Amino acid sequence: HLAIVDMMMPRMNGAALMRELRKLSPALPMISSSGLMPLMEDERGPLNLAELGVSAVLPKPYEERELMAALCEALAGATSSG
């Protein structure tokens, strides 16, 4: 399993979703995706993606090869840590 999470969504932002996913599945690899990577904040302030357990970052727009690289990075990290 793996989650690709858009950081800007209606009702629940990506950081909140990642926190909830982490509670449900602590070892779940997660990829953060956003068109506004340098500006990512939530109600708590600037986001620390490592604290959220992000395995890889995928800035938008992205190409298929970038998606594949992020998937490989996230899954390799999951394999080595769990």
Side-chain angles (χ1 to χ4, degrees):
H1 295 91
L2 175 130
I4 300 174
V5 179
D6 191 325
M7 298 307 291
M8 297 184 72
M9 301 181 296
R11 288 175 268 182
M12 178 184 277
N13 65 40
L17 175 59
M18 287 180 167
R19 287 184 190 101
E20 291 302 313
L21 288 172
R22 188 62 58 219
K23 288 178 192 174
L24 296 171
S25 181
L28 179 71
M30 292 188 282
I31 297 173
S32 167
S33 184
S34 177
L36 303 170
M37 295 307 279
L39 306 174
M40 287 197 307
E41 294 187 348
D42 69 357
E43 65 282 350
R44 301 176 187 192
L47 293 177
N48 180 332
L49 296 178
E51 264 182 24
L52 291 172
V54 172
S55 305
V57 175
L58 190 60
K60 288 187 203 174
Y62 52 84
E63 297 181 6
E64 182 179 347
R65 65 180 170 74
E66 295 166 311
L67 173 60
M68 293 304 293
L71 289 168
C72 288
E73 181 181 343
L75 293 173
T79 301
S80 65
S81 66

